[in-house]
Amino acid sequence: MLDRPASGDLQPYLGQWLDMAPVDFSPLLPYFRRCQFNAGDHLFQLGDATDDLVLLTEGIIRCYYVHGSREINLRLLSAPAAALPYRSFLDQRPADEALQALSNGAGFWVRFRAFCRDHPGLLAECMRRELAERHFRALQRRLHMLQSRNATERYAFYRTHMEPEIVAGTPAYHVASYLGIAPESLSRIKATLEKC
């Protein structure tokens, strides 16, 4: 379901997403549509061309790619976050990752490339910079976790550093994929930690 938000709806949301002085967000309005999605829905499929993004107001999204017959989770996102296959957006090539809802949720579907083209300036630049910084921080967090910790330490890092909604609402097999461990290993780790 898509409909256009009012300026008053965007101001508080973008104010928490963008760290900048109060700004007139009204030029964005024609490029925004409210959206809702259900658990299991794909926001972006493998192979999609990406000119848009989804700004989450609620829900959990996983970003994954396929290796052989396995789906590997790269990122887990919750509000306020921008959900898109970022590399595809940058390179303007078909997406090599997909984004799927792990819970029911909602947000704003944004025709972002069109907005940046039609309204070059400070707001577009700030949004592009915030998008890049958030993507970098998410990938750096996962990279540090994977390279410097054993499976038990990875899970502890995940529980400590991920957003509480993600920790509470992500199914265990998706957590295991994100951590780079087998689901059975995660079950053993959780059982051991619960005994302590």
Side-chain angles (χ1 to χ4, degrees):
M1 172 189 201
L2 298 171
D3 70 78
R4 187 170 291 167
S7 181
D9 295 336
L10 284 183
Q11 194 80 27
Y13 179 78
L14 289 175
Q16 70 177 344
W17 197 73
L18 287 173
D19 184 22
M20 61 187 291
V23 66
D24 177 17
F25 291 117
S26 60
L28 278 167
L29 290 177
Y31 301 88
F32 270 62
R33 297 285 184 273
R34 291 182 191 279
C35 64
Q36 295 181 330
F37 48 85
N38 298 314
D41 288 351
H42 275 84
L43 282 70
F44 298 94
Q45 298 273 5
L46 292 168
D48 281 354
T50 308
D51 290 325
D52 302 340
L53 60 85
V54 175
L55 293 177
L56 297 176
T57 57
E58 58 184 276
I60 300 171
I61 303 291
R62 74 177 180 123
C63 306
Y64 71 93
Y65 70 98
V66 176
H67 179 72
S69 61
R70 290 179 39 225
E71 295 176 353
I72 310 289
N73 289 332
L74 292 170
R75 295 183 309 285
L76 299 170
L77 304 170
S78 65
L84 78 160
Y86 188 59
R87 186 173 140 196
S88 170
F89 180 81
L90 289 178
D91 296 343
Q92 297 185 41
R93 297 174 65 176
D96 59 0
E97 65 181 13
L99 280 80
Q100 182 183 37
L102 296 181
S103 67
N104 295 343
F108 299 106
W109 192 274
V110 185
R111 294 184 306 116
F112 189 56
R113 191 178 307 281
F115 169 74
C116 292
R117 179 193 64 231
D118 297 345
H119 297 276
L122 181 61
L123 181 56
E125 287 305 313
C126 286
M127 290 181 74
R128 275 200 288 257
R129 185 181 66 240
E130 184 67 22
L131 195 59
E133 288 175 2
R134 283 174 180 250
H135 188 77
F136 172 78
R137 285 191 299 264
L139 290 180
Q140 185 181 45
R141 174 172 60 184
R142 183 168 187 267
L143 184 62
H144 283 209
M145 177 196 61
L146 291 174
Q147 290 186 330
S148 62
R149 293 170 172 78
N150 64 36
T152 301
E153 291 168 332
R154 286 181 201 173
Y155 181 65
F157 182 90
Y158 166 84
R159 290 189 54 84
T160 303
H161 292 90
M162 291 300 283
E163 293 77 4
E165 310 82 52
I166 292 174
V167 173
T170 302
Y173 62 95
H174 285 305
V175 174
S177 173
Y178 177 78
L179 297 176
I181 61 178
E184 301 77 19
S185 297
L186 180 59
S187 294
R188 284 193 296 272
I189 291 165
K190 290 169 82 171
T192 301
L193 292 176
E194 287 172 7
K195 291 177 185 176
C196 297

